[in-house]
Amino acid sequence: MDLIRQYAEAAATLVIRKAISYLRASKHTLSGDDSGLKTTWDEICVQVQEERSYFWDAYIAAMRDAISSGLFDVENRDKQCIWLQTEAGWHWIWDVENGRLTDEEMPVDENDLINFLVKRLEAEAGTYTNSRIKEFLKPQYD
């Protein structure tokens, strides 16, 4: 299983990189023209690092779209390995290994896969910074 986990990590990292590129190219922002934030990715990073706004659902939708876009060209075997890292994937493995299921085709659920990768994307947003994000998050009174 360690080999599958490593393979899944590499595949997930590629999807996350594609999603970040997609979000960095997106100029749709909700924080206002005077915020200094220029991309959807900037805003997601601020939302994750500070406090989620009323518009958080819109940012989740943007992340889901970016992940979906990143998954578009991914081989099914890569999706399967990533899905096996989800809670549903772990349950499926347990059921197969314990005879509750036959070794049938893996039921990769796209929604589980996207939700898992959105959490990974949020973790990346929690540590990412640039000059615009730093300026936005700088305390008002230094």
Side-chain angles (χ1 to χ4, degrees), residues 1 8 56-57 83 140:
M1 290 309 274
W56 181 243
D57 288 344
W83 182 79
Q140 190 172 12

Side-chain angles (χ1 to χ4, degrees), residues 2-121:
D2 197 42
L3 180 60
I4 292 172
R5 189 174 299 118
Q6 290 172 10
Y7 189 89
E9 179 63 30
T13 297
L14 289 175
V15 174
I16 294 301
R17 285 183 184 156
K18 286 180 184 180
I20 291 170
S21 292
Y22 177 93
L23 292 165
R24 289 176 74 188
S26 175
K27 306 301 181 199
H28 301 290
T29 59
L30 299 172
S31 62
D33 294 336
D34 62 341
S35 73
L37 302 174
K38 302 288 185 204
T39 70
T40 305
W41 180 242
D42 287 350
E43 291 201 349
I44 289 169
C45 292
V46 165
Q47 293 289 308
V48 170
Q49 293 174 29
E50 191 174 60
E51 186 176 329
R52 295 177 180 168
S53 75
Y54 176 77
F55 300 111
W56 181 243
D57 288 344
Y59 296 112
I60 290 288
M63 287 188 285
R64 291 180 65 81
D65 288 348
I67 295 292
S68 293
S69 176
L71 284 169
F72 186 74
D73 293 327
V74 172
E75 295 288 333
N76 193 48
R77 69 176 179 264
D78 296 342
K79 290 178 185 178
Q80 289 174 327
C81 285
I82 297 169
W83 182 79
L84 286 172
Q85 307 311 302
T86 69
E87 186 174 339
W90 281 104
H91 286 293
W92 182 81
I93 290 169
W94 190 89
D95 287 343
V96 168
E97 288 179 351
N98 288 288
R100 290 184 168 196
L101 292 174
T102 59
D103 197 14
E104 60 190 44
E105 178 141 350
M106 192 180 303
V108 174
D109 183 296
E110 194 85 8
N111 197 44
D112 288 339
L113 189 59
I114 291 170
N115 288 340
F116 176 79
L117 290 169
V118 164
K119 286 183 176 126
R120 291 278 310 272
L121 189 56

Side-chain angles (χ1 to χ4, degrees), residues 122-136:
E122 284 184 58
E124 289 291 323
T127 61
Y128 181 86
T129 194
N130 61 30
S131 59
R132 295 180 303 275
I133 294 167
K134 285 179 185 174
E135 182 63 28
F136 188 90

